[in-house]
Amino acid sequence: MATRKQKVPKVGFVSLGCPKALVDSERILTRLRAEGYVIAPDYAGADLVVVNTCGFIDDAVAESLEAIGEALEENGKVIVTGCLGARGDMVSSRFPRVLAVTGPHATDEVLDAVHQHLPPRHDPFESLVPPQGIRLTPRHYAYLKISEGCNHRCTFCIIPQMRGDLVSRPIGDVMTEAENLVRSGVRELLVISQDTSAYGVDVRYRTGFWGGRPLRTRMLELAGALGELGAWVRLHYVYPYPSVDEVIPLMAEGRVLPYLDVPFQHASPRILKLMKRPASGEVNIERIRAWRKACPDLTLRSTFIVGFPGETEAEFEELLAFLAEAKLDRVGCFAYSPVDGAIANDLPAAVPEEVKQARLERFMLTQARISRARLRRKVGSVQQVLIDEVDDEAGIAIGRTRADAPEIDGVVRFAARGLSAGQMVQVRITASDEHDLEGELEQAGQDKRPAPRAAAKRSKAR
Ligand code: SF4
């Protein structure tokens, strides 16, 4: 009997925002592929479009609204999810034609909306997806989201309102996902959350299991176990708490990358208090000193806000003095921007826009000098480099050292042919500026990837 072939349902996808939103997108895409949907490369080829939005700052809101408008114009059938979706009324009143609106971390709701407006085709042979799921990052690195939400209430931030309180993923699930990623070729795992040091607080550091072995749901145990997989492990969004001290020895031993992304936000005790952030600038300086003593290779990345309501010139200078003393490697800085719904908007003595911008410039100039000096110290050294891109025609390869996270930090450029993305090589650093490095390939084709220890052991046992 002849069967009529069903049309394959095609979904377009626009993913905006931070790595946490990117992981949400990957989960939705993985489920869609598992159910037999095809991901369309453009609006014209899609039966409907999902837009995963960001609502963190005004610019991100504007970009998200523009993306929704464009998807409606180009395709007409649009489902909105993500942080801006948490403000559902705003989206629906501006775009009444949108089919459905959900908040962030809402894979089930997005799938329900897709099923309603574009039912899946049932074909178990086409519905198979690889165990590592669908990823939006290159094959050799991946973000590993360990929790959702946040228990802090920083006054400039509305993430807890949008994403709720901290919910840690079971450590066994996180480790299994990490193992699958490493098996599929991932060489760098980027651990993300809203607050990585708080991992497990909500479940009282419950003991979980990974491959029959007990493991506590805690940053220290997680970092140690991830360090066994044979990939680079990079910790992001680590709150400056004393518990962070415990992971520094793992970095000194080379089990996880000697890299910490710690958002300090400010240095003045009064401003930190107004922001509802822990620790003062002085405590943070002491902590940085102790970390560097225990792990001299440590790379520190941080973010700051200038022009927070009430910030005086003296407090801003206190921040500049902190920068000069802390000598952080990588720094991002934002001029305070009032996010709708943030408590800080009601604080007195808003800083005028031109003062904010002038402070931002002075801050960035100070940090540029520091970054330039920090990078200059690497000239002459040989660094292990993970290759991100190769242009064989131009004879150039671009990669990153252990001190550089993808997208946000610097790169190393060097002349090479015949290499491929995801390969590890040794590069002698020959020049630097305030952001990037240049070098010469030291050992062509050498790939010092250690065997994925735990993954190898465990697959034998099965
Ligand atoms: S730690 Fe503060 S800034 Fe970060 S998500 Fe939580 S409330 Fe927002």
Side-chain angles (χ1 to χ4, degrees):
M1 189 179 73
T3 52
R4 236 183 70 216
K5 190 131 172 72
Q6 267 183 296
K7 189 175 166 277
V8 181
K10 296 193 178 112
V11 177
F13 207 98
V14 180
S15 182
L16 303 169
C18 63
K20 283 149 283 198
L22 187 87
V23 172
D24 286 350
S25 296
E26 289 176 339
R27 285 198 187 138
I28 295 167
L29 288 167
T30 299
R31 290 268 303 272
L32 287 171
R33 285 293 291 125
E35 293 183 4
Y37 289 91
V38 163
I39 310 307
D42 50 34
Y43 291 123
D47 297 310
L48 67 74
V49 177
V50 178
V51 183
N52 189 5
T53 57
C54 176
F56 187 47
I57 53 169
D58 291 353
D59 285 354
V61 171
E63 190 191 12
S64 296
L65 292 173
E66 199 182 308
I68 298 168
E70 187 183 281
L72 275 172
E73 201 172 300
E74 299 284 328
N75 183 280
K77 289 179 86 177
V78 176
I79 291 168
V80 174
T81 183
C83 287
L84 190 63
R87 304 193 221 167
D89 290 351
M90 178 198 197
V91 176
S92 334
S93 58
R94 179 119 176 218
F95 300 107
R97 283 168 58 215
V98 160
L99 300 174
V101 183
T102 83
H105 195 46
T107 309
D108 288 341
E109 287 94 320
V110 174
L111 264 290
D112 286 349
V114 173
H115 294 158
Q116 195 188 336
H117 297 283
L118 183 66
R121 190 178 76 140
H122 292 291
D123 183 341
F125 295 106
E126 285 187 16
S127 301
L128 296 174
V129 287
Q132 74 276 15
I134 307 296
R135 290 193 290 112
L136 295 170
T137 46
R139 201 167 163 256
H140 60 281
Y141 68 80
Y143 294 101
L144 185 65
K145 182 145 78 166
I146 60 170
S147 59
E148 264 301 333
C150 182
N151 286 348
H152 297 292
R153 294 295 181 263
C154 303
T155 54
F156 53 81
C157 177
I158 56 165
I159 281 175
Q161 280 154 258
M162 294 193 291
R163 293 187 169 242
D165 281 343
L166 176 77
V167 179
S168 300
R169 289 181 62 203
I171 193 159
D173 290 4
V174 174
M175 286 307 302
T176 303
E177 181 181 337
E179 237 185 329
N180 283 335
L181 288 167
V182 174
R183 281 209 187 101
S184 74
V186 164
R187 313 207 61 179
E188 178 177 8
L189 294 164
L190 301 124
V191 176
I192 55 165
S193 64
Q194 302 300 340
D195 173 8
T196 296
S197 28
Y199 179 57
V201 166
D202 55 320
V203 292
R204 299 192 182 164
Y205 306 117
R206 181 171 59 206
T207 299
F209 288 89
W210 171 50
R213 159 181 153 194
L215 261 190
R216 286 189 85 193
T217 313
R218 226 161 67 105
M219 177 173 69
L220 176 65
E221 281 78 357
L222 176 69
L226 289 172
E228 294 176 21
L229 297 179
W232 280 3
V233 176
R234 199 181 288 284
L235 300 181
H236 285 284
Y237 313 119
V238 176
Y239 223 66
Y241 272 138
S243 60
V244 179
D245 302 354
E246 298 173 349
V247 295
I248 304 293
L250 295 183
M251 298 182 175
E253 290 161 19
R255 288 166 64 188
V256 299
L257 289 180
Y259 179 100
L260 266 184
D261 176 4
V262 192
F264 290 118
Q265 308 298 11
H266 212 281
S268 146
R270 193 185 76 91
I271 297 292
L272 283 168
K273 207 163 165 207
L274 286 176
M275 288 178 166
K276 284 211 174 161
R277 302 285 296 180
S280 70
E282 280 140 44
V283 172
N284 285 336
I285 281 285
E286 279 163 30
R287 196 157 279 146
I288 289 169
R289 269 197 209 116
W291 291 342
R292 285 202 170 121
K293 196 167 169 215
C295 180
D297 278 352
L298 184 66
T299 295
L300 283 169
R301 147 167 277 280
S302 191
T303 45
F304 293 88
I305 297 172
V306 294
F308 190 77
E311 183 194 61
T312 62
E313 177 61 22
E315 284 161 340
F316 172 67
E317 280 176 13
E318 203 174 336
L319 173 58
L320 291 185
F322 173 85
L323 266 195
E325 176 94 35
K327 295 196 174 39
L328 303 172
D329 299 271
R330 302 289 187 185
V331 166
C333 185
F334 302 94
Y336 176 76
S337 115
V339 180
D340 235 8
I343 294 166
N345 299 344
D346 300 330
L347 291 172
V351 177
E353 203 51 48
E354 62 279 12
V355 177
K356 280 190 217 168
Q357 291 308 323
R359 287 182 186 168
L360 179 63
E361 265 174 50
R362 281 166 67 197
F363 180 103
M364 291 316 282
L365 268 178
T366 306
Q367 181 57 35
R369 277 195 293 273
I370 295 166
S371 296
R372 185 181 284 275
R374 303 274 308 164
L375 282 180
R376 201 181 298 129
R377 296 177 353 157
K378 300 196 173 173
V379 174
S381 68
V382 175
Q383 302 282 334
Q384 188 182 29
V385 169
L386 176 58
I387 298 176
D388 282 327
E389 281 175 61
V390 278
D391 181 345
D392 266 348
E393 219 164 278
I396 293 285
I398 300 175
R400 287 173 292 109
T401 68
R402 304 189 311 161
D404 297 299
E407 309 283 338
I408 49 176
D409 294 332
V411 297
V412 189
R413 288 188 186 78
F414 55 99
R417 282 202 165 82
L419 299 177
S420 47
Q423 210 175 332
M424 293 268 188
V425 292
Q426 302 289 317
V427 175
R428 181 172 297 278
I429 305 303
T430 54
S432 65
D433 59 23
E434 72 201 40
H435 204 252
D436 299 322
L437 299 167
E438 277 176 35
E440 284 166 1
L441 187 62
E442 183 82 348
Q443 286 154 320
Q446 183 181 4
D447 198 338
K448 288 198 167 166
R449 181 181 195 181
R453 280 175 277 167
K457 246 190 266 156
R458 280 163 45 75
S459 58
K460 258 189 235 156
R462 275 175 192 148

